[in-house]
Amino acid sequence: MSIEFIPNRFQGQTAIVTGAGSGIGRATAIRFAREGARVIATDVVADRLDQLTADFPDLDITTLVGDVSLEDTAQALVTAAGGTVDVLANVAGIMDAFLPLAEIDDATWERVFAVNLTSVMRLTRAVLPGMIEAEHGAIVNVSSEASLRASASGVAYAASKHALNGLTKSVAVVYGPKGIRANAVAPGAVKTNIEAPFKSAWAQERLGPLMAIIPTFAEAEELAASITWLASSDASNVNGVILPVDGGWAAI
Ligand code: NAP
């Protein structure tokens, strides 16, 4: 796989990227920065952010360690951006051990919703006033194949990502007239550090065969390419879309 960068595509813009220490978030932060953006990169794992800036000392990447599900982190990110946020990429997310409804515990349910959904609501709420004032902004959320079908995760993850699609469309419709676009990618399987063990024997028996149809395991950079495209002016008339980036899984 060879992906070309587009020099200066985001020159002069500021992009916040969550989950930037690993996987899709890291690839997205690197791509925005390589294409000229000033990137505010956040993750809950400090070492990974240190590695990101060590690997790319020449790129304009500011890191902020924090739990993106907390309001304090959302406010700190807006402060770190220090002005207009042109792009918000809500990438951070966690899985749910494929737990089905009869086996889900409250802590897993609440944590998955906090990270996959509430964090996006809080951070988007924090950046929207600036975007509304600027009459300009692109928000790209990272949803999942599990937002399109029930066979790709447990119940908490599926429900949180279905809800994230609704959040994305709501923001698109309500704030489109203010010059703000909100879209999401729905990745299929991607080679990252996300933990996805089956902790339910029944879920493994039921979902395992259904997941055998997955056509490809993508590289994180392929998702970054779609995320940056949705954030770019080439997607100026794309708003409220949930874009499967899954090698065709959604079409099966
Ligand atoms: P990843 O490699 O685990 O990267 C996600 C990063 O976000 C990790 O460093 C993670 O830290 C961090 N993070 C987790 N919770 C956080 C929080 N509360 N605040 C700040 N950072 C936090 O995972 P990925 O596969 O790139 O996932 C990125 C997004 O893609 C997620 O929204 C995921 O649901 C979605 N997605 C992934 C796949 C896939 O196959 N990989 C498929 C569909 C959708 P920890 O390691 O400590 O959790």
Side-chain angles (χ1 to χ4, degrees):
M1 180 201 55
S2 165
I3 291 181
E4 300 287 326
F5 292 103
I6 303 173
N8 303 321
R9 180 162 57 157
F10 296 102
Q11 199 66 44
Q13 297 195 30
T14 297
I16 295 176
V17 180
T18 75
S22 175
I24 298 167
R26 179 183 151 99
T28 300
I30 293 166
R31 177 130 192 182
F32 274 122
R34 277 195 160 155
E35 298 188 354
R38 185 172 73 95
V39 173
I40 314 298
T42 188
D43 200 286
V44 78
V45 185
D47 291 354
R48 291 179 176 165
L49 291 176
D50 291 344
Q51 190 65 52
L52 175 65
T53 49
D55 289 346
F56 297 94
D58 297 337
L59 297 183
D60 191 351
I61 300 176
T62 300
T63 61
L64 191 148
V65 181
D67 179 341
V68 78
S69 69
L70 303 177
E71 180 65 22
D72 284 356
T73 306
Q75 294 303 329
L77 285 166
V78 172
T79 301
T84 306
V85 176
D86 303 282
V87 176
L88 169 61
N90 288 303
V91 187
I94 55 172
M95 271 290 277
D96 61 358
F98 287 91
L99 289 169
L101 205 143
E103 299 171 49
I104 190 78
D105 58 279
D106 283 0
T108 301
W109 176 270
E110 284 160 14
R111 188 66 191 147
V112 167
F113 267 76
V115 178
N116 292 3
L117 184 65
T118 307
S119 72
V120 178
M121 179 279 288
R122 291 205 169 115
L123 185 49
T124 306
R125 183 174 62 187
V127 303
L128 271 173
M131 287 184 172
I132 291 168
E133 194 180 341
E135 298 183 358
H136 155 87
I139 298 159
V140 184
N141 297 324
V142 176
S143 189
S144 172
E145 191 76 23
S147 76
L148 309 174
R149 60 175 73 240
S151 58
S153 72
V155 66
Y157 188 87
S160 71
K161 294 293 190 177
H162 276 72
L164 180 58
N165 291 0
L167 181 156
T168 304
K169 292 180 194 175
S170 175
V171 172
V173 169
V174 174
Y175 297 106
K178 301 283 187 186
I180 297 161
R181 297 182 299 106
N183 295 288
V185 292
V190 189
K191 291 177 245 173
T192 69
N193 290 315
I194 202 163
E195 292 183 11
F198 274 102
K199 287 194 180 161
S200 161
W202 171 238
Q204 187 156 19
E205 184 180 332
R206 174 69 180 132
L207 302 182
L210 300 175
M211 294 181 71
I213 64 169
I214 296 173
T216 56
F217 281 74
E219 302 292 338
E221 289 74 14
E222 295 178 273
L223 272 301
S226 300
I227 292 164
T228 50
W229 176 74
L230 281 171
S232 78
S233 57
D234 278 352
S236 60
N237 199 35
V238 181
N239 197 20
V241 160
I242 312 301
L243 178 69
V245 183
D246 62 359
W249 186 2
I252 299 174

